[in-house]
Every structure is written in C-alpha cells, then in structure tokens.
C-alpha cells in the first residue's frame, strides 16, 4: 500500500532522478553533455539562449523563500557602502564621508525601531531590507540583529567581490546577477523606502523608486531622504520642476529627514493618497 507521500508524488522526484543519473555506468554516452539532465546541467543553464529562464529563476528563488519565511512587508534601506561607522570615521578618505558617518548611527537606530515593531508581527511585517553590504547597509542589518529580529540582504555580484555583512539573517541573504531583478525585490514588498547618502548605486535605486511612484506603477509609500544638505547639493530638484521636465507636485513624492525618529513619525502618519 502506498504511503501518503508517494500518492501525492506518483512520479520520481527531480532530486531522485539527479541522484540516479550520478550512478549511471561510466561510458562515452553517459559522459556526453547531451546525456545530462537539463535542470542539472550548469553549462546548459548558462547558455545565452537560457537568459530568460535565469531571469525567471532569479525572480522566483527569493520570492519563494520570503513567502516560506512569512515575510509580508519590508522597510527598505538604500545608502552608500562607503559611509563609515562612527568609530571608523577617522579612516574615511574624504572629509564629507567622515561627516556622513552620523547617518550610520541614524540608520542603525531606524532599523532597531522598525525591527522592534516587526517583532510584534512575529517578523512578518516591517522587515528591514538592505543591499547586504557595508556602510549604511551594514548599519541597517546590525540594528535589526541587535533588536532581536531578522533582516534581508539583497546582494549583487560585482567585479570587486563584496561579501555580505555579518548581520544579515543567513537564511535571508540573497545574491543576484541581474540588477533589474534585484531592484524588483527591493520594492515588491516595500512599506517604506529610506535613502541615505550614497553613490551611483544609491542614485539608481532612488530614481527607480521615484519613477515607479510618479508613473503610478507602484503604490505610493513613504520615500524618505536622509540628509537634506547632501541631497540638495547633488540634485537640484527645483530646477527639474522649473524646466518642466517633472511636475511641481512630483517634489512631494519624497520627504527629507535627519533622524530616525523623524522617519518613523512620517511613516506612522503617511497618507498614500497621490498628490494632485
């Protein structure tokens, strides 16, 4: 009599077939690439023609794991990898980076507050999500860990290898090849997005979020920029509105904050109604 598991799966499992394939006699036929099971053939999966499949897999793997872990919403923290912790600020290579170290502290405090809130939902809501690297990302994951909660790290393969920081929850530490899929995962569950001073990567993530909200492709969420002086120095938002390339109301898609407490207050009182 069949047990319940075998009735639910009347055919051999893929894992079982993969193991069986490894036990085949060693012959010219079994050694040939054509004989490998397609799903176990790395050379085949990495072919140029298989890029659509790899894109799908990279979207699906984190999605399934996050669903299995019960993560329903996230609080995203974008920001520079080069911003030092206060105790390391004297090692910063520029005066500006040294000054920006204060935002490491605010990122840490913000992540701590939001994780304490997340714990009240058994870790389902308001889960801290960073890029998993150093700087502001490390501060976010560290704050979540020290608060006793879990946090997500969405890493990316770069020419100069960047290991995940030590505070990302191991089971939620992902690695991406495609920037586009990684950015989708940043925003798919986002209840709020915070953006700390950073470089090209941070700017890319900021403008992606702004564009999605502006065009109505994403439900409005609190979009909070830490450090008004920094952002006003590198981006002349009003000039874009004056030129007519964005609308005046688009300047209301984001808010400036300086402290974690300010950010939390805005999130708590956020009105998702789009601006007129």
């Amino acid at each position: 009599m069949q047990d319940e598991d075998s009735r639910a799966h009347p055919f051999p499992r893929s894992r079982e077939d993969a193991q069986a394939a490894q036990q085949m006699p060693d012959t010219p036929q079994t050694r040939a690439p054509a004989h490998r099971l397609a799903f176990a053939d790395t050379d085949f999966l990495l072919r140029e023609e298989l890029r659509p499949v790899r894109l799908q897999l990279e979207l699906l793997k984190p999605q399934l794991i996050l669903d299995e872990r019960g993560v329903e919403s996230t609080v995203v923290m974008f920001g520079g990898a080069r911003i030092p912790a206060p105790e390391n600020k004297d090692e910063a290579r520029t005066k500006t980076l040294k000054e920006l170290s204060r935002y490491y502290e605010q990122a840490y405090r913000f992540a701590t507050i939001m994780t304490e809130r997340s714990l009240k939902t058994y870790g389902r809501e308001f889960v801290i999500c960073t890029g998993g690297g150093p700087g502001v990302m490390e501060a976010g994951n560290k704050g979540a860990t020290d608060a006793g909660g879990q946090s997500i790290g969405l890493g990316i393969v770069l020419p100069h290898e960047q290991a995940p920081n030590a505070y990302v929850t191991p089971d939620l530490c992902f690695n991406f090849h495609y920037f586009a899929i990684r950015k989708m995962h940043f925003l798919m569950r986002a209840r709020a997005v915070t953006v700390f001073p950073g470089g090209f990567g941070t700017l890319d993530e900021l403008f992606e979020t702004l564009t999605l909200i502006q065009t109505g492709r994403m439900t409005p969420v609190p979009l909070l920029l830490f450090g008004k002086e920094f952002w006003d120095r590198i981006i002349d938002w009003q000039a874009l509105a004056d030129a007519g390339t964005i609308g005046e109301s688009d300047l209301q898609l984001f808010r400036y904050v300086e402290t974690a407490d300010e950010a939390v207050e805005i999130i708590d009182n956020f009105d998702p109604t789009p601006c007129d």
Side-chain angles (χ1 to χ4, degrees):
M1 183 175 181
Q2 290 182 317
D3 60 26
E4 184 177 345
D5 186 62
S6 62
R7 288 198 303 273
H9 302 279
F11 301 109
R13 295 175 181 269
S14 298
R15 185 182 300 277
E16 294 170 350
D17 278 348
Q19 292 171 345
Q22 295 175 358
Q23 300 170 4
M24 295 288 290
D26 185 14
T27 68
Q29 290 76 23
T30 61
R31 289 196 298 269
H35 189 263
R36 299 172 192 158
L37 288 166
F39 60 79
D41 186 347
T42 302
D43 291 336
F44 173 69
L45 290 174
L46 293 179
R47 286 178 57 152
E48 185 72 16
E49 300 91 336
L50 270 290
R51 177 174 287 137
V53 175
R54 295 196 298 274
L55 284 162
Q56 184 179 13
L57 290 172
E58 195 152 282
L59 178 65
L60 189 58
K61 180 181 177 179
Q63 180 77 20
L64 290 175
I65 293 173
L66 289 169
D67 285 346
E68 289 167 357
R69 288 294 295 260
V71 176
E72 297 178 9
S73 70
T74 60
V75 176
V76 178
M77 297 179 67
F78 295 135
R82 300 181 182 182
I83 293 179
E87 62 269 22
N88 299 324
K89 67 180 181 181
D90 291 336
E91 301 173 11
R93 64 183 188 179
T94 68
K95 178 183 177 183
T96 298
L97 283 174
K98 184 175 181 178
E99 293 171 348
L100 291 175
S101 68
R102 67 184 183 274
Y103 291 113
Y104 185 105
E105 294 181 279
Q106 293 304 319
Y108 174 88
R109 174 166 170 72
F110 175 76
T112 300
I113 296 171
M114 298 311 299
T115 301
E116 289 170 350
R117 178 172 300 183
S118 177
L119 289 170
K120 296 177 181 178
T121 71
Y122 300 98
R124 292 193 298 265
E125 303 278 359
F126 302 105
V127 179
I128 292 296
C129 179
T130 80
V136 165
M137 296 172 279
E138 176 188 274
N141 295 121
K142 188 174 188 294
T145 295
D146 288 354
Q150 62 183 358
S151 66
I152 301 165
L154 304 181
I156 186 81
V157 177
L158 299 173
H160 303 288
E161 188 61 34
Q162 177 177 287
N165 69 66
Y167 304 101
V168 180
T169 299
D171 290 344
L172 299 177
C173 186
F174 302 100
N175 199 20
F176 289 83
H177 174 73
Y178 298 106
F179 272 96
I181 301 300
R182 178 178 181 247
K183 286 190 288 186
M184 285 187 66
H185 274 293
F186 270 125
L187 300 179
M188 285 169 64
R189 288 173 165 82
R191 286 275 293 272
V193 176
T194 59
V195 190
F196 293 78
F200 287 160
T202 302
L203 289 168
D204 177 45
E205 292 154 351
L206 167 60
F207 281 107
E208 175 91 7
T209 307
L210 280 169
T211 300
L212 289 171
I213 296 175
Q214 180 203 47
T215 57
R217 299 302 300 271
M218 175 180 170
T219 301
V221 298
L223 178 53
L224 310 175
L225 276 59
F226 277 77
K228 184 177 189 300
E229 181 181 358
F230 174 84
W231 290 110
D232 279 350
R233 182 180 176 188
I234 63 171
I235 304 173
D236 192 337
W237 304 101
Q238 189 60 53
L240 290 171
D242 292 343
T245 55
I246 65 172
E248 194 71 31
S249 63
D250 291 332
L251 299 178
Q252 302 175 47
L253 296 178
F254 60 89
R255 297 276 299 276
Y256 288 123
V257 296
E258 295 298 326
T259 68
D261 292 328
E262 288 179 68
V264 172
E265 182 179 359
I266 291 173
I267 291 171
D268 287 342
N269 295 290
F270 179 70
D271 180 0
T273 305
C275 301
D276 293 330

